[in-house]
Amino acid sequence: MARRALKLASLAAATSGIYLYGNKFLDPNDFGVVRVGRAIATTAVISYDYLTSLRSVPYGSEEYDFLKSQVHLRSAERLRELCCANRGTFIKVGQHLGALDYLLPEEYTRTLKVLHSQAPQSTRQEIEQVMREDLGKEIKELFVSFEDTPLGAASLAQVHKAVLQDGRTVAVKIQHPKVQAQSSKDILLMEVLLFVVKQIFPDFEFMWLVDEAKKNLPLELDFLNEGRNAEKVAHMLKNFDFLKVPRIYWELSTRRVLLMEFMEGGQVNDRAYMERNGINVNEISRNLGKLYSEMIFVNGFVHCDPHPGNVLVKKCPASGKAHIILLDHGLYQVLSESFRMDYCRLWQALIKADMKRVQKYSRRLGAGDLYPLFACMLTARSWESVNRGIDRSPVSASEDVEIRSNAAAYLPQITQLLNNVPRQMLLLLKTNDLLRGIESALHTRASASSFLNMSRCCIRAVSTYQRSKSHSLYRRAQISLTEALSLWQINLYELFLWLKGSQLGNWVIALLRRLHHST
């Protein structure tokens, strides 16, 4: 009798489970055991593949390199599938890995980059649930219209276009409902798995990735923090008339819902869109460089997720000016004053090809004896180009190949370096890589003009710091005079470069040559 009752109960439970799953009330991803099991299985398969596939092949041979590339590709695809299945935090970390061009093999970065376009979408019911819980109202009470199809979906949230009752068009950012509950458990799971992998492969040093996720994810999940960041950066960079930051509507914003002014445009890496709309690609690239130089060197408050979906461009019909629209302000890096000054002076040394100061300030930033590698990672140039001067010649195709092959060859040293540098440097490296990706897509790799803009910001930042530390009126005046002279020299040099490349400049040079020959 008891056995029969147990069978009936089991059958009822199974039937209920199938019914709930079929009706979308039950998601396997809600069960920790499913997520954990999937992550453990993927980690085990990847580790076994690396341990067995390369064991009987001579290290350094062509066959070894070919097989290693195949293992990289298989492992990257498994990792991508895991991220897509577990969603949320896994996709966020996968996207971060996809941006590590200076660290991971190309098979990984190429495969994981697609996660930016494969983020999950919450259903209408899930969106309504979040709105009801956070704002206490139904969507139809808040908006005249609300588009069900999101403008974009990311790992943590998605954005919808809507119209408020008073007629304002807004962008509504809504957090996926299960992310908050799953994020801390996911990070703990990653920490344990990475520790196990470290025991199997001693050269594997990625614990810093988990440390960064533990620190940054709670901030990104707080949309009120994102709103404050947006207002802060808009005020901080108000002198840049080309920059637009959406206004925040605080009366309808919570930790999981953020209402913003609706702004639209083409993605910053879409060269075809800019050409169709009469937007100067080089001007956009220069202005983006100015924007980030100001944030990094002068303010020490840096938007750290400039992937193309977060940076839009649009030509203003009234003025004809091209605007840069900066979105997604959840992740900012606040640089300490000492770090910022060392970083400023390091870049000044890199631009001037002053190797003694490059070594000095690289060491101060934790690079130690690996300072040549550190300089190459920061500039994405070869050591030969760094010694010659990074503004002297553009990046060639052969240099790009050399940099990527060296990244694979020096993987243990790179991971050691990333463990030694301050944590502030990690997000800056990611930001640098994303900006270089945009430049590469626009075919506007860093020019002499962009380095001159960086120099201006470094000079201003160092001079402001020196004045703040000086108690002498004479000394402050001396610093200001030196600053003005240095900026004047840069302006003069920039004028020379412009004349050199212009028709007027060519005409003047031709005239001077004729005068010289006639005398």
Side-chain angles (χ1 to χ4, degrees), residues 382-490:
S382 67
W383 181 238
E384 182 185 348
S385 295
V386 172
N387 275 275
R388 190 170 59 243
I390 54 178
D391 61 337
R392 302 291 168 86
S393 59
V395 183
S396 64
S398 60
E399 188 178 358
D400 260 341
V401 172
E402 180 189 346
I403 291 165
R404 187 167 286 281
S405 61
N406 282 344
Y410 289 99
L411 184 58
Q413 290 88 343
I414 292 172
T415 52
Q416 179 189 341
L417 182 61
L418 291 176
N419 275 303
N420 292 341
V421 296
R423 300 297 90 184
Q424 299 167 82
M425 183 60 70
L426 299 176
L427 282 177
L428 284 188
L429 286 168
K430 174 194 170 187
T431 303
N432 284 346
D433 277 351
L434 287 168
L435 291 173
R436 285 193 195 103
I438 292 169
E439 288 175 346
S440 181
L442 297 179
H443 310 301
T444 58
R445 289 295 290 268
S447 62
S449 177
S450 64
F451 289 125
L452 291 176
N453 283 326
M454 289 176 69
S455 295
R456 286 191 183 95
C457 287
C458 289
I459 289 166
R460 287 169 44 220
V462 171
S463 299
T464 301
Y465 172 76
Q466 289 174 335
R467 278 193 295 268
S468 71
K469 298 299 179 183
S470 175
H471 301 292
S472 163
L473 184 62
Y474 171 75
R475 175 62 184 148
R476 288 200 294 271
Q478 192 179 39
I479 293 166
S480 296
L481 180 60
T482 304
E483 177 188 8
L485 286 172
S486 298
L487 292 173
W488 180 78
Q489 285 177 333
I490 290 175

Side-chain angles (χ1 to χ4, degrees), residues 165-190:
Q165 297 289 349
D166 59 10
R168 289 177 294 176
T169 303
V170 295
V172 188
K173 184 172 182 178
I174 305 166
Q175 195 171 114
H176 299 312
K178 298 159 191 171
V179 170
Q180 287 274 5
Q182 292 170 345
S183 61
S184 57
K185 298 169 189 172
D186 286 345
I187 291 173
L188 178 61
L189 173 60
M190 290 180 201

Side-chain angles (χ1 to χ4, degrees), residues 96-109:
H96 186 29
L97 288 172
L100 299 181
D101 292 312
Y102 55 87
L103 176 58
L104 291 180
E106 184 186 8
E107 293 86 352
Y108 276 92
T109 55

Side-chain angles (χ1 to χ4, degrees), residues 452 489-501:
L452 291 176
Q489 285 177 333
I490 290 175
N491 291 339
L492 195 63
Y493 181 58
E494 191 168 41
L495 178 62
F496 165 74
L497 290 176
W498 178 80
L499 283 171
K500 188 178 175 183

Side-chain angles (χ1 to χ4, degrees), residues 224-263:
L224 295 178
N225 176 67
E226 179 177 343
R228 290 190 291 269
N229 287 342
E231 290 192 339
K232 182 175 179 178
V233 81
H235 177 73
M236 195 175 279
L237 302 176
K238 61 185 177 184
N239 293 332
F240 290 135
D241 60 355
F242 60 81
L243 174 65
K244 299 298 174 185
V245 177
R247 180 185 168 192
I248 305 299
Y249 299 119
W250 290 108
E251 67 275 14
L252 291 173
S253 294
T254 69
R255 287 175 62 89
R256 296 194 298 169
V257 179
L258 188 67
L259 252 71
M260 302 162 281
E261 176 186 3
F262 177 75
M263 290 185 174

